[in-house]
């Protein structure tokens, strides 16, 4: 998926361009520790870089760096965890990828109610998605305003920083790139005078870009150009089909709608093929029309490879592809009110996430006539293609190379640090996460009584007798690797209670020497000893 690929690319770029001595990872599971170390070693090609791991229980390494970055916009749960101490200890930074899913929309909405601070940020990869995020946040706030009379509007940092690429890997001016172009064109039977148009992405009409305007626009352009074209026009579609049914629909459309075009459908997941495709092409096309798209990396990759772009005037494409680098084809959708029924069907469970996006895309039109005219200009004019290609290459290297993008990230982190250091402490009446409440506090009215000062406990007769099975060792009373359980602490506590004899020992004596979490854990062990019948209250 694009999101996973972008996240891995960012991590690689951060290690390569971030000028960091220590790679810090925030891990929530034991299995993630080794995975993080392996990823760093794989990217570095050695194991000499220092590593530091932070966990929800030990955030020392995060405090040392000052920023915790998460590759999605879901910052609320991390903000609640940070609230266990002074929230000025570090900044939280997230990023948008697809924002159309229920999970993503909920995460954006939770930015309103979660304990986000002015020194936190959600990076938006384009101005278009920034506007969408603001709309989602404002809609959530409007609900709480109407429902609860909320008046304090949260101040969210939503900076726009694009995704990045390694522009060097798309350099079409190397001997290796020239050889890759020659070999692939020869393999596909493409003559030197032929023009190759490249589409790169998932071959699914409903999740990325519907192919109809591409097929019709190209075919009609070829028909009108006629003899002005020196050779044939080839369309390389590099990607993958999600299933045979969708593949059949796609192939039928290309046969019926673009008979004048020579079609090549290649598996874009093959790494060795993927790197050479950019160099075999003369022109790139992508008519994104789906709400899942927020930025769009492929046009930037095409620009880095020196290809002019014919794209849709849609979300992030609008900012990456300028008139010097390519042509953007107008798009149009129905007015917002027309989508109410679709939202309600999605809410009621009649539409899945995929069909929700697909139905929205089916009402999004890409101007076929404008696509045809753009293709006519570029198919027949090699000089224009080369001019746009040079401009696109320069733009990609200047704005979208990872070295530049990582510098923008670091500048943001420094700005957030300044805000953090200037902030004054704010007293909190409730620090707990309301969705992850302390069960002993929340359900304290359930038991007959709660342990408190003044209570005394003693070993039960069965425990004092020392006969029968060792109740503390029974598997049925263990939850392995969890507290409470049979172990040194519970055994030590039991020994203290047994030594006190019939007189017993007070609750204060047992926990008085401990504080904080240690005291809480001790009372858990005490409750467990009572549960298994080796300790009892003295009434």
């Amino acid at each position: 998926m694009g999101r996973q690929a972008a996240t891995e690319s960012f991590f690689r770029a951060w290690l390569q361009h971030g000028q960091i001595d220590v790679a810090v990872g925030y891990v929530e599971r034991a299995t993630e520790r080794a995975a993080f170390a392996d990823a760093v070693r794989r990217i570095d090609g050695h194991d000499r870089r220092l590593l530091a791991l932070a966990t929800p229980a030990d955030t020392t390494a995060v405090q040392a760096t000052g920023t915790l970055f998460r590759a999605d916009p879901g910052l609320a749960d991390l903000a609640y965890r940070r609230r266990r101490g002074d929230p000025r200890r570090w900044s939280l930074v997230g990023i948008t990828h697809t924002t159309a899913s229920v999970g993503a929309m909920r995460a954006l909405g939770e930015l309103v109610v979660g304990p986000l601070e002015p020194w936190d940020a959600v990076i938006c990869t384009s101005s278009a998605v920034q506007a969408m995020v603001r709309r989602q946040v404002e809609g959530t706030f409007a609900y709480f305003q109407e429902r609860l009379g909320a008046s304090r509007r949260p101040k969210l940092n939503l900076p726009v920083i694009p995704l990045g690429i390694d522009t060097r890997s798309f350099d079409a001016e190397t001997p290796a790139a020239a050889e890759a172009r020659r070999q692939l064109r020869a393999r596909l039977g493409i003559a030197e005078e032929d023009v190759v148009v490249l589409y790169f992405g998932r071959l699914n009409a409903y999740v990325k870009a519907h192919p109809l305007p591409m097929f019709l626009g190209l075919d009609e352009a070829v028909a009108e150009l006629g003899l002005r074209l020196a050779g044939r026009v080839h369309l390389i579609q590099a990607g993958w089909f999600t299933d045979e049914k969708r593949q059949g629909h796609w192939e039928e459309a290309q046969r019926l709608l673009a008979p004048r075009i020579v079609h090549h459908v290649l598996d874009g997941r093959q790494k060795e093929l993927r790197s050479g495709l950019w160099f075999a092409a003369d022109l790139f096309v992508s008519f994104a029309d789906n709400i899942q798209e927020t930025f769009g990396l492929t046009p930037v990759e095409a620009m880095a490879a020196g290809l002019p772009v014919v794209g849709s005037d849609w979300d992030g494409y609008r900012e990456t592809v300028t008139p010097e680098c390519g042509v953007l084809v107008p798009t149009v959708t129905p007015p917002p009110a027309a989508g109410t029924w679709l939202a309600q069907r999605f809410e009621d469970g009649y539409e899945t996430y995929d069909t929700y996006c697909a139905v929205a895309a089916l009402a999004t039109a890409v101007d076929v006539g404008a696509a045809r005219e753009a293709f006519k200009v570029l198919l027949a004019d090699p000089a224009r293609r080369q001019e746009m290609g040079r401009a696109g290459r320069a733009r990609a290297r200047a704005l979208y190379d990872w070295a530049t993008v990582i510098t923008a990230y670091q500048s943001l982190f420094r700005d957030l640090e300044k805000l953090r250091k200037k902030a004054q402490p704010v007293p909190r009446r409730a620090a707990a996460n309301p969705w992850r409440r302390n069960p002993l506090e929340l359900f304290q009215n359930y038991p007959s009584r709660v342990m408190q000062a003044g209570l005394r406990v003693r070993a039960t007769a069965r425990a004092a007798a020392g006969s029968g099975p060792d109740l503390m060792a029974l598997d049925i009373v263990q939850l392995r690797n969890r507290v409470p359980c049979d172990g040194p602490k519970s055994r030590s506590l039991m020994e203290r209670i047994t030594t006190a004899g019939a007189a017993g020992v007070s609750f204060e004596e047992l926990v008085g020497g401990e504080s904080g979490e240690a005291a809480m854990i001790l009372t858990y062990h005490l409750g467990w000893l009572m549960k298994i019948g080796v300790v009892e209250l003295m009434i």
Side-chain angles (χ1 to χ4, degrees), residues 17-266:
H17 301 292
Q19 298 180 341
I20 56 174
D21 297 322
V22 181
V24 180
Y26 182 85
V27 298
E28 298 179 348
R29 301 171 184 84
T31 54
E32 294 174 346
R33 296 173 179 267
F36 177 76
D38 289 344
V40 173
R41 281 194 293 268
R42 186 178 68 253
I43 292 170
D44 283 343
H46 58 75
D47 58 0
R48 297 187 297 275
R49 190 190 295 270
L50 296 176
L51 302 179
L53 294 175
T55 68
D58 182 3
T59 56
T60 305
V62 175
Q63 294 181 58
T65 64
T67 303
L68 178 56
F69 174 76
R70 183 172 189 168
D72 61 52
L75 299 182
D77 60 332
L78 294 175
Y80 282 119
R81 294 179 192 176
R82 182 182 59 183
R83 196 172 166 83
R84 297 169 190 172
D86 190 333
R88 296 173 299 172
R89 292 173 293 168
W90 63 80
S91 295
L92 295 170
V93 177
I95 187 172
T96 61
H97 287 290
T98 182
T99 55
S101 68
V102 173
M105 290 188 192
R106 181 176 287 121
L108 294 173
E110 286 176 350
L111 297 176
V112 175
V113 295
L116 276 294
E117 302 290 354
W119 48 88
D120 300 325
V122 174
I123 294 171
C124 300
T125 54
S126 67
S127 297
V129 78
Q130 181 193 55
M132 176 271 165
V133 172
R134 291 191 190 283
R135 200 170 291 117
Q136 175 68 1
V137 167
E138 284 297 318
T140 305
F141 178 74
Y143 168 77
F144 285 113
Q145 197 172 36
E146 177 186 305
R147 177 72 174 165
L148 303 175
S151 58
R152 288 186 57 190
R153 180 177 269 98
K155 296 179 180 179
L156 299 176
N157 289 313
L158 301 173
V160 175
I161 301 178
L163 295 178
I165 62 171
D166 177 13
T167 57
R168 294 173 302 174
S169 63
F170 295 90
D171 188 352
E173 298 178 317
T174 65
E179 180 59 19
R181 176 182 174 89
R182 186 194 66 77
Q183 288 186 8
L184 188 55
R185 289 175 74 106
R187 170 186 157 189
L188 298 177
I190 301 172
E192 184 61 32
E193 66 274 14
D194 292 348
V195 180
V196 175
V197 180
L198 173 65
Y199 168 77
F200 207 135
R202 279 172 284 176
L203 304 177
N204 187 313
Y206 307 108
V207 300
K208 182 72 173 180
H210 202 286
L212 185 144
M214 177 174 67
F215 292 155
L216 285 178
L218 274 174
D219 199 74
E220 291 176 5
V222 169
E224 293 191 19
L225 287 171
L227 296 177
R228 282 180 285 171
L229 288 173
R232 304 196 69 182
V233 173
H234 298 251
L235 173 61
I236 295 179
Q237 299 167 79
W240 60 95
F241 294 105
T242 53
D243 56 69
E244 291 183 359
K245 180 180 178 181
R246 302 294 184 199
Q247 181 176 353
H249 294 170
W250 190 284
E251 292 172 347
E252 177 189 44
Q254 72 178 20
R255 184 179 69 255
L256 296 175
L257 303 180
R260 298 176 180 86
I261 308 300
V262 182
H263 296 275
H264 308 274
V265 178
L266 305 179

Side-chain angles (χ1 to χ4, degrees), residues 86-91 117-119 413-426:
D86 190 333
R88 296 173 299 172
R89 292 173 293 168
W90 63 80
S91 295
E117 302 290 354
W119 48 88
F413 295 168
R414 288 192 294 269
D415 290 343
L416 297 177
E417 181 183 21
K418 293 176 184 177
L419 292 174
R420 205 169 61 244
K421 289 183 174 180
K422 288 194 303 183
Q424 298 299 313
V426 178

